Amino acid sequence: MFCTPLSDFLNQHFQQNNLSGSLKETLSAIINACVAISAKTRQGALSGVLGEAGSGNIQGENQKKLDVIANDILINALRQTPMVAGIASEEEDTFVETNEHGKYLVLFDPLDGSSNIDVNISVGTIFSVLKKPSSGSLKLDDFLQNGRNQVAAGYVLYGVQTQLVFTVGQGVFGFTLNDNNQFILTKNDFRLPESTAEFAINMSNQRHWESPMQNYIAELLAGKDGVRGKNYNMRWVASMVAEVHRILTRGGVFLYPFDYRDPNKPGKLRLMYEANPMSLLIEQAGGASSNAHQNILDIQPTGLHQRVAVVLGAKEEVARVNLLHNP
Ligand code: AHG
Ligand code: MN
Ligand code: MN
């Protein structure tokens, strides 16, 4: 029987690990906003949230109505949370200063997997929390910290169930939203197997990949007859939140590699609010992450919307990708 509400878990977990009360409040504010986003998502057409917003973000992507709604819900909630100094979002051109005396910075992808909203497939919110490194007025540099500095990271998956998964650096925990809009602990400490026979990649980009990536996927496709000596299965949801949740739950490896489609973009996914938080979760659960050359958490960021190649999940597969790229 599952019976531990999120608030009880947080009180205990933060006390046990000697973590700050203001971080707990920051995390709670993010999560409460996600409960509101979940409610909008669940209503779909009934709450008028489907379809295009008719606008674009700074990254040249068309915004869906729900991208904008989720972004507004999060920003409004965090403005009212005094310990949050500022936010950065996929949907905002630059950072937004929220509270002059705040201690934390919250970075988020308000709605991940937007292409799936209108077809009723899982979407989610991804978040990352950093400490504001210096006092005084907020500046871009304050945000440009590597992923190891994250003091909290997680996501809320609006899927068949609404689930919250997060880490504050002491394991990865999962909660399911009940009928009373309360998150209840349903997974105590995710652990990721080192080996897997399941991979996730958008195969339609194959011809644009670099040759080491072509070779890696060819090895997997060769199955029992190839050098890897086992058959692999493939999944691609096109919502990173859903892929990472599957990998945390039953293992696997996820790849959105570098490709030659646009030489200015070293990948599709964004370092600060997609790759970093997911990499911390995966590492905390015993997996690994890389851009095929170095651990994602060690990359020194240069911009809020910087893109990065992503390989994350089972340690054995991440090591194999790294080896093929750096023989
Ligand atoms: P977003 O909806 O926040 O822009 O992110 C979508 C991302 C990610 O969730 C997913 O892994 C990937 O884009 C899917 O990309 P393709 O459509 O190229 O497969
Ligand atoms: Mn996304
Ligand atoms: Mn998004």
Side-chain angles (χ1 to χ4, degrees), residues 148 213 240 253-258 266 269 271 275-276 278-280 282-283 287-299 308-315 317-323 325-326:
R148 297 239 168 259
M213 189 52 69
M240 189 192 200
V253 62
F254 167 92
L255 306 100
Y256 211 116
F258 169 87
L269 299 175
L271 175 65
N276 271 342
M278 293 314 205
S279 296
L280 188 64
I282 290 287
E283 200 167 277
S289 84
S290 147
N291 65 355
H293 301 281
Q294 75 176 121
N295 191 314
I296 284 177
L297 296 173
D298 293 324
I299 295 174
V308 65
V310 175
V311 182
L312 56 79
K315 272 186 173 166
E317 298 301 325
V318 177
R320 184 72 186 155
V321 173
N322 287 343
L323 181 70
H325 285 77
N326 306 280

Side-chain angles (χ1 to χ4, degrees), residues 67 90-91 109-114 270 274:
D67 285 322
E90 178 186 339
E91 309 303 341
D109 176 353
L111 222 286
D112 174 65
S114 313
R270 278 60 51 111
E274 291 177 319

